[in-house]
Amino acid sequence: MPREYTLKSFRAPIELNIDYETELNAQQLAAVSAPPGPALVLAGAGAGKTRTLTYRVAYLLEQGIPVDRILLLTFTNKAAREMMDRVQELIGGDTAGLWGGTFHSVGHRVLRRHAEAIGYPKSFTIMDRDDAKALMSIAIADTGIDTKAVRFPKPDLMCDILSMSLNTGLQLGQVMEERYYYFDSLTDEIALAHAAYVKRKRANGVMDFDDLLTQWLRLLRENSEARESFQARFQFILVDEYQDTNQVQCELIDLLGGRHHNIMAVGDDSQSIYSWRGANFRNVLEFPDRHNGTQVFKIETNYRSTPEILDCANAVIAANTQQFKKVLAPVRDSGMKPALVSCNDANQQAEFIAQRVLELRDEGMPMEGMAVLYRSHFHALELQLEFTRRNIPFVLTSGIRFFEQAHVKDVAAYLKLLVNPSDELAFKRIVLMLPGIGAKSAAKLWAVFEACLAKEITQPPNLAKTLRDITGHTPKKAALGWEQFAETIDQLEEEQAKGPGHLIRMVVAAGYEDYLQDKFPNYYARLEDLEQVAGFAGQYDTTEEFLSEVTLLTNLDTETQRDAGPDPEQIQLSTIHQAKGLEFDVVFVMMLCDGLFPSSRAIESPGGEEEERRLFYVAVTRAKTELYLSYPLLRFMHGSGGETMQQPSRFLDEIDGDLVEEWNLQSFDPYG
């Protein structure tokens, strides 16, 4: 009987001479030196997540794992570059063999080798967003759907609907019901257009951005040879920001790790804040259930913030029930307690932040080391104006100041035309939104409109009558939209005396809300912006006065233009979502009112309040040295007849009073 003899593979280890015990803390070291098998590494904010990942790669190489047997997945190109640079610096050698990059870049690499196995040519091309929109337009036309007879989603929005369905693994009908209910009656037609789009992609040999993941997943599901090949190749899989994975990404990772089961998922469940773009929070919580024998490592030593800020952060997140419990521990010396600032209204809140920023600057704090964070863009409306008045330089992470956003400028164009009929830019901006009118038609209509205005006897001229008089010059397919335009102007002229806030709501109700739904994926957020603009405009007696104030902040003509970028002498204004991963010496978190933060819409959705609390936690943990939490007691609310008392955010109630210092604002006029 022959003897069974196991031949063990030999790998020559790489000598890197890294003193792991000196360069890592005990928690980081435990994760870095973890034995083979599935591992979930919960790295708190400021705890050195990237450091842990890069040292894990080095450790594996020292154990004799070939560099090409390691797969390192990240979410952004910036994170991928940073990770690869750190690995290369650490090991001091060539990392060309390492499979590392974003999910999409690795998917592209795989599909270039195996596209033919799923019916695509190896030479397939990848469409950018504009290409995808153009192809979706063709696909809609293929279906024969009369988009003029029904209010049909624009191609850009159609791409987002399809993307959400694919990345969440939800049926189109469910996605429509939960996220795009205002188009629910068109689900069948939308499904036809999506099918035509998929058919066009295949016929043209092209893929969009989502295909790089969904077709990669399809390859692994349907082609056993490819699946087994990649399962054998990737002996160790490391995933960064695992809490942000969607359903497709989660399944990809599980399939790739199906042979060796050496998946290390690194992230922070307390910073899962992207469900609105398809991320599935359950992926983190259920990881140990999906992978038997999972080791869970917690890295809780925080190198970023003072003990006082961390005490506040720990209190913030403690109320969440769906989480892996962890407590951030400080390394830094003690500092000031977070300030809790109650303000009379949004204007006083803006005044406080502006004054404090200037004081800190005079004390030697660089402007680039400060940030103001908020839940939604419209929360910073008054602040942007106050900063502008005081000549405080600021930069927005979006690159777009509030009044420069497309939807705000769209609505403002109606008011501009109302007070100044000779405003060519306002006129053309409005008519270009009408179906069937392009740039050439807009130019011709302006010429006719301008000529008619010159003949007007009445001053001010009757705009609605003038618009109706030139109806015969409009393209036939634009006739209905033109009549609605004239009717809207007619109503605005009649009620102009009721003030700019009322006029803005009239424009939205007269048809612009429908335009928002058709054109923009983030319809709800933009509609909310416009309501806040209307509330803000209600402070002004005349439309002219309001528009003059807005001009202070309106210096770009299109939303496609961007500020040049950060400047050392600028404070950063940002939504919390956009600030994730960043840190600042001083952080102001503003508009902490119930209904604003947490948002009323989030509170009403399943799991919404806990995600909002995680978002607040992210905001707090951006601060290194000083943290200011502010809220207004009064806020203009539509339907209330004016300003309404605000309740402080429920999240503030969850912070023990001993952890913060209350600041009471006193007004002082040195010339009074």
Side-chain angles (χ1 to χ4, degrees):
M1 183 177 178
R3 177 185 294 185
E4 298 290 336
Y5 183 81
T6 302
L7 187 63
K8 299 178 181 178
S9 58
F10 171 77
R11 302 187 181 107
I14 299 175
E15 294 290 338
L16 298 178
N17 297 316
I18 298 173
D19 188 346
Y20 293 96
E21 293 187 2
T22 300
E23 298 186 27
L24 303 170
N25 64 42
Q27 292 175 331
Q28 292 170 334
L29 179 61
V32 165
S33 60
L40 180 62
V41 181
L42 301 168
K49 170 178 61 63
T50 302
R51 186 175 186 85
T52 301
L53 273 169
T54 53
Y55 274 79
R56 176 64 173 175
V57 173
Y59 180 83
L60 292 174
L61 295 176
E62 285 202 312
Q63 303 311 302
I65 307 301
V67 69
D68 62 349
R69 304 292 299 277
I70 300 171
L71 173 63
L72 178 58
L73 292 168
T74 63
F75 272 85
T76 66
N77 289 318
K78 179 183 177 182
R81 287 193 299 270
E82 181 184 4
M83 199 78 70
M84 297 297 282
D85 289 345
R86 288 201 190 185
V87 169
Q88 189 164 6
E89 182 181 349
L90 185 61
I91 69 175
D94 186 14
T95 59
L98 176 66
W99 280 67
T102 65
F103 279 88
H104 293 87
S105 66
V106 175
H108 174 244
R109 185 174 174 183
V110 170
L111 291 171
R112 281 297 174 205
R113 299 185 179 188
H114 299 277
E116 292 177 336
I118 52 173
Y120 274 89
K122 283 187 177 180
S123 59
F124 70 87
T125 54
I126 304 171
M127 298 186 293
D128 60 19
R129 184 69 175 192
D130 288 339
D131 292 335
K133 286 164 54 179
L135 192 65
M136 181 63 78
S137 294
I138 297 170
I140 294 170
D142 288 344
T143 65
I145 298 169
D146 187 354
T147 57
K148 299 294 188 295
V150 296
R151 190 169 56 84
F152 202 76
K154 298 290 190 250
D156 196 22
L157 181 54
M158 287 284 288
C159 289
D160 280 313
I161 294 172
L162 178 59
S163 180
M164 183 59 66
S165 176
L166 290 172
N167 286 301
T168 58
L170 299 176
Q171 294 295 317
L172 179 63
Q174 187 175 348
V175 171
M176 298 302 299
E177 183 180 347
E178 293 179 359
R179 298 175 182 264
Y180 306 96
Y181 68 87
Y182 42 91
F183 286 121
D184 197 28
S185 62
L186 296 172
T187 299
D188 291 343
E189 290 83 355
I190 291 170
L192 284 174
H194 282 167
Y197 175 69
V198 171
K199 185 178 178 181
R200 279 276 182 180
K201 285 194 294 182
R202 198 169 280 281
N204 294 350
V206 298
M207 292 189 190
D208 59 25
F209 206 53
D210 288 322
D211 287 326
L212 297 177
L213 299 187
T214 58
Q215 295 301 329
W216 180 15
L217 179 58
R218 181 175 159 233
L219 172 71
L220 297 180
R221 283 173 173 172
E222 298 178 3
N223 191 294
S224 59
E225 184 180 349
R227 180 176 63 253
E228 290 168 7
S229 171
F230 284 108
Q231 286 179 338
R233 170 182 287 277
F234 299 134
Q235 187 174 348
F236 285 86
I237 301 171
L238 311 178
V239 188
D240 188 23
E241 303 288 6
Y242 187 77
Q243 77 278 350
D244 295 334
T245 54
N246 59 35
Q247 190 60 38
V248 173
Q249 291 159 333
C250 180
E251 191 171 346
L252 277 168
I253 295 162
D254 288 353
L255 273 174
L256 290 169
R259 177 172 175 177
H260 298 289
H261 304 289
N262 295 325
I263 301 171
M264 178 172 279
V266 183
D268 184 3
D269 57 302
S270 298
Q271 298 187 68
S272 180
I273 58 175
Y274 293 118
S275 65
W276 52 273
R277 68 183 189 193
N280 189 346
F281 173 64
R282 308 288 322 167
N283 292 346
V284 178
L285 295 183
E286 296 171 359
F287 185 92
D289 297 328
R290 295 198 317 275
H291 301 278
N292 292 329
T294 294
Q295 303 171 88
V296 179
F297 300 92
K298 295 180 181 180
I299 303 178
E300 300 168 300
T301 303
N302 176 284
Y303 295 90
R304 176 184 299 159
S305 307
T306 62
E308 289 77 9
I309 292 173
L310 291 187
D311 286 342
C312 184
N314 289 327
V316 164
I317 203 64
N320 271 10
T321 59
Q322 299 293 307
Q323 63 167 314
F324 290 99
K325 292 287 185 181
K326 52 187 175 296
V327 178
L328 295 180
V331 170
R332 292 187 58 190
D333 293 334
S334 184
M336 65 172 276
K337 287 183 179 181
L340 182 59
V341 188
S342 168
C343 309
N344 290 335
D345 53 26
N347 289 319
Q348 190 183 60
Q349 180 180 231
E351 291 171 4
F352 162 71
I353 294 173
Q355 180 174 311
R356 188 66 186 134
V357 164
L358 292 174
E359 289 171 349
L360 289 166
R361 184 193 65 181
D362 292 343
E363 292 168 11
M365 175 65 68
M367 294 284 281
E368 71 268 25
M370 294 184 266
V372 184
L373 307 183
Y374 34 83
R375 172 64 179 81
S376 301
H377 281 294
F378 72 79
H379 293 178
L381 193 156
E382 290 88 356
L383 183 67
Q384 290 187 41
L385 281 170
E386 188 64 28
F387 275 13
T388 302
R389 292 190 188 105
R390 299 196 186 206
N391 202 28
I392 298 174
F394 64 93
V395 63
L396 289 95
T397 51
S398 66
I400 310 166
R401 301 191 176 198
F402 185 85
F403 286 108
E404 294 166 356
Q405 298 176 101
H407 56 298
V408 178
K409 296 187 73 166
D410 286 346
V411 172
Y414 283 87
L415 274 62
K416 288 181 177 181
L417 188 66
L418 195 64
V419 301
N420 179 18
S422 299
D423 192 329
E424 180 181 355
L425 293 178
F427 177 90
K428 288 182 177 178
R429 188 174 190 101
I430 297 169
V431 300
L432 284 170
M433 288 188 277
L434 305 179
I437 296 182
K440 289 184 179 179
S441 296
K444 291 178 182 178
L445 286 165
W446 168 252
V448 177
F449 179 74
E450 189 180 33
C452 290
L453 284 179
K455 299 176 183 177
E456 272 279 359
I457 301 174
T458 60
Q459 294 298 324
N462 188 319
L463 293 184
K465 180 181 179 301
T466 305
L467 290 171
R468 291 188 173 110
D469 287 344
I470 65 173
T471 300
H473 296 273
T474 62
K476 288 184 179 179
K477 54 187 176 182
L480 185 63
W482 189 265
E483 175 54 35
Q484 185 177 20
F485 173 30
E487 179 63 25
T488 300
I489 293 296
D490 197 5
Q491 293 174 8
L492 294 176
E493 288 184 309
E494 287 183 9
E495 302 196 26
Q496 190 168 359
K498 293 185 178 180
H502 177 73
L503 299 182
I504 289 169
R505 294 191 180 94
M506 287 183 66
V507 172
V508 174
Y512 189 75
E513 182 175 353
D514 292 340
Y515 178 80
L516 274 180
Q517 289 181 345
D518 295 350
K519 186 173 176 63
F520 297 110
N522 56 345
Y523 151 70
Y524 292 112
R526 293 181 186 254
L527 187 63
E528 197 170 39
D529 284 348
L530 294 175
E531 175 52 43
Q532 297 305 315
V533 172
F536 176 78
Q539 303 175 55
Y540 298 90
D541 295 329
T542 68
T543 303
E544 291 88 347
E545 186 184 358
F546 165 68
L547 291 173
S548 296
E549 187 78 332
V550 169
T551 302
L552 288 171
L553 290 174
T554 308
N555 52 29
L556 299 178
D557 190 50
T558 69
E559 191 169 357
T560 58
Q561 293 177 278
R562 296 291 187 268
D563 292 338
D567 184 279
E569 295 301 318
Q570 291 177 320
I571 184 172
Q572 186 158 314
L573 274 58
S574 174
T575 64
I576 302 166
H577 284 101
Q578 292 174 310
K580 186 174 175 291
L582 304 178
E583 59 182 38
F584 305 91
D585 291 302
V586 179
V587 169
F588 298 85
V589 187
M590 62 183 300
M591 281 302 173
L592 289 166
C593 303
D594 243 33
L596 294 178
F597 194 3
S599 74
S600 53
R601 193 181 319 120
I603 295 171
E604 294 167 0
S605 63
E609 183 173 325
E610 292 218 347
E611 178 153 332
E612 290 286 284
R613 189 176 286 107
R614 293 194 295 271
L615 188 63
F616 185 36
Y617 173 83
V618 168
V620 169
T621 55
R622 297 313 93 195
K624 296 165 65 176
T625 305
E626 295 188 20
L627 174 65
Y628 298 85
L629 309 172
S630 64
Y631 60 93
L633 294 171
L634 292 172
R635 179 78 175 165
F636 187 93
M637 301 292 288
H638 178 48
S640 66
E643 289 189 314
T644 303
M645 288 293 295
Q646 298 292 292
Q647 290 295 322
S649 171
R650 63 192 67 188
F651 300 152
L652 296 176
D653 292 336
E654 296 167 355
I655 303 172
D656 191 288
D658 293 338
L659 301 180
V660 295
E661 181 183 33
E662 294 190 25
W663 286 32
N664 295 318
L665 303 185
Q666 305 291 328
S667 295
F668 171 69
D669 185 353
Y671 303 102

